[in-house]
Amino acid sequence: MAEAKDERRPAGELEASVMAALWAADAPRTPGQVQQSLGSGLARTTVTTILSRLHDKGIVGRRREGRGYAYFPVQDAHGLTARRMHTELDRDSDRHTVLARFVAQLSEDDERVLRDLLESGEQ
């Protein structure tokens, strides 16, 4: 039993793999189709659970297809990263300090990009 536990994937790795499969697809995918594209030996029920959790988090959308659902990404990879950054920022009540420390740790190039974005109002 301990061996199976040791073989578990790091948290988030399965979700990232499923999202990569959805981003690579040209149309919504059923859990079975996602399972096939992953080719990792995951059970279809595992893929279904991951997709359901991603849907509950608002990361993927779904539409009815037959007796089940076909899933599609709601945002691209960059949008998802931005969403995660906002989620982390919202976890701390001292936004000023969090943002100040974030900016202090930026490289000069990233700081310049951020400054340009703020000045231009580009989104």
Side-chain angles (χ1 to χ4, degrees):
M1 186 88 169
E3 288 179 24
K5 186 175 181 182
D6 292 340
E7 294 177 18
R8 293 190 103 168
R9 296 174 190 215
E13 183 179 312
L14 288 176
E15 285 186 1
S17 297
V18 167
M19 288 305 301
L22 291 177
W23 284 319
D26 56 356
R29 294 287 185 236
T30 64
Q33 292 169 324
V34 172
Q35 176 195 26
Q36 284 181 327
S37 67
L38 294 175
S40 61
L42 290 174
R44 188 189 52 75
T45 54
T46 300
V47 174
T48 301
T49 299
I50 294 164
L51 287 165
S52 294
R53 288 179 180 166
L54 289 169
H55 179 262
D56 291 345
K57 294 177 183 179
I59 296 172
V60 300
R62 66 183 181 193
R63 69 170 195 218
R64 192 53 106 165
E65 188 165 305
R67 292 185 295 159
Y69 292 100
Y71 293 84
F72 53 91
V74 174
Q75 297 178 322
D76 63 10
H78 301 298
L80 184 56
T81 299
R83 178 185 170 142
R84 287 180 178 145
M85 291 168 70
H86 277 283
T87 299
E88 288 302 316
L89 183 60
D90 290 343
R91 290 180 191 204
D92 197 304
S93 61
D94 189 356
R95 294 173 78 89
H96 181 272
T97 301
V98 173
L99 286 169
R101 290 190 181 166
F102 175 77
V103 170
Q105 295 174 10
L106 290 175
S107 69
E108 286 184 30
D109 289 340
D110 288 342
E111 187 176 340
R112 190 175 311 108
V113 169
L114 182 57
R115 187 178 314 280
D116 291 346
L117 287 170
L118 290 171
E119 288 173 0
S120 71
E122 185 181 330
Q123 296 183 17

